[in-house]
Amino acid sequence: KNEKIQLLRDAIVSYPDFPKPGVIFRDIFGIFRNIVAMRAMKDLIVEHILFLEVDLVVGLDSRGFLLGPIICMELGKPFLPIRKKGKLPGNVVQHAFNLEYGEATFEIQTEYVKKGARTIIIDDLLATGGSMVAAIELLKLSGAEVIECLTIIELSGLKGREKLGIPVHSLVQYD
Ligand code: PRP
Ligand code: HPA
């Protein structure tokens, strides 16, 4: 397990001063360029989730969309997206939030969430936690039971974890 985590750590490239001065950008796509690291990432997530009896996997716009479906194929469970506003048709509920740099509104197609569905939310990275909090709010409004938030990267120094009120599992942490 530790070897797999080290593979991920080695594959993630850090870019100082992107997208603005003072921010160190941790780029998940280094993992996707390296098929061994990508498999390690999938294995680590699936091993972790198998115990959780999940009914639904929700991925966040946009890099959560790369992760959720891979996991769903292994679990045999459905995937549902949360998207930035104006992209999803049908009955949507929405929630506005602040980002590490900027702000946004998220939407979900609420009719596709079954009442009490045991749901995990997946994204590439937890920073301030603003996106996760908004996602949790949307899923609660839709009647789901959010059992865990899962990210590949956690920027621990921003203390996003403390805002969520729901367990967080991350694979690689940075201060
Ligand atoms: C990034 C990242 C997370 C979110 C984390 O997405 O992929 O979704 O920010 O930040 P937070 O914990 O402070 O909310 P971004 O909004 O840059 O969108 P993108 O995935 O479309 O690039
Ligand atoms: N990397 C990728 N996405 C992000 C980051 C980062 O360091 N911070 C906030 N969103």
Side-chain angles (χ1 to χ4, degrees):
K1 184 175 176 220
N2 289 338
E3 282 143 45
K4 287 181 179 167
I5 290 171
Q6 191 58 44
L7 273 171
L8 299 190
R9 207 173 259 288
D10 293 344
I12 295 163
V13 183
S14 299
Y15 295 88
D17 299 319
F18 182 88
K20 61 181 194 188
V23 175
I24 303 174
F25 191 87
R26 314 289 182 178
D27 185 17
I28 188 94
F29 287 112
I31 296 174
F32 288 80
R33 289 193 295 269
N34 176 338
I35 192 67
V36 179
M38 204 151 109
R39 287 213 180 91
M41 175 177 76
K42 187 207 73 176
D43 291 346
L44 286 165
I45 299 172
V46 171
E47 285 159 20
H48 176 76
I49 288 180
L50 275 177
F51 297 98
L52 297 180
E53 294 185 54
V54 169
D55 300 317
L56 176 67
V57 176
V58 169
L60 303 192
D61 198 344
S62 59
R63 282 161 280 172
F65 298 169
L66 300 170
L67 301 165
I70 300 175
I71 307 313
C72 287
M73 299 287 277
E74 296 285 328
L75 296 178
K77 299 295 175 185
F79 176 78
L80 198 63
I82 284 182
R83 294 212 64 181
K84 293 184 181 145
K85 76 167 178 214
K87 307 276 189 178
L88 289 173
N91 296 324
V92 297
V93 293
Q94 59 173 228
H95 201 266
F97 62 99
N98 294 315
L99 278 171
E100 187 186 1
Y101 29 84
E103 56 179 59
T105 299
F106 268 165
E107 292 181 343
I108 193 169
Q109 290 166 306
T110 188
E111 64 197 297
Y112 303 120
V113 181
K114 294 206 178 84
K115 297 288 162 259
R118 289 174 59 81
T119 302
I120 61 155
I121 307 173
I122 188 157
D123 201 2
D124 64 326
L125 176 142
L126 183 72
T128 65
S131 310
M132 268 307 170
V133 168
I136 292 165
E137 194 59 32
L138 284 180
L139 282 158
K140 284 185 177 161
L141 286 169
S142 304
E145 183 194 347
V146 182
I147 53 177
E148 193 171 83
C149 302
L150 213 156
T151 67
I152 307 308
I153 301 171
E154 176 177 3
L155 305 183
S156 312
L158 295 174
K159 300 192 191 299
R161 166 183 290 274
E162 295 171 14
K163 289 195 198 127
L164 304 188
I166 283 177
V168 184
H169 183 71
S170 60
L171 301 182
V172 177
Q173 298 79 29
Y174 297 93
D175 273 338

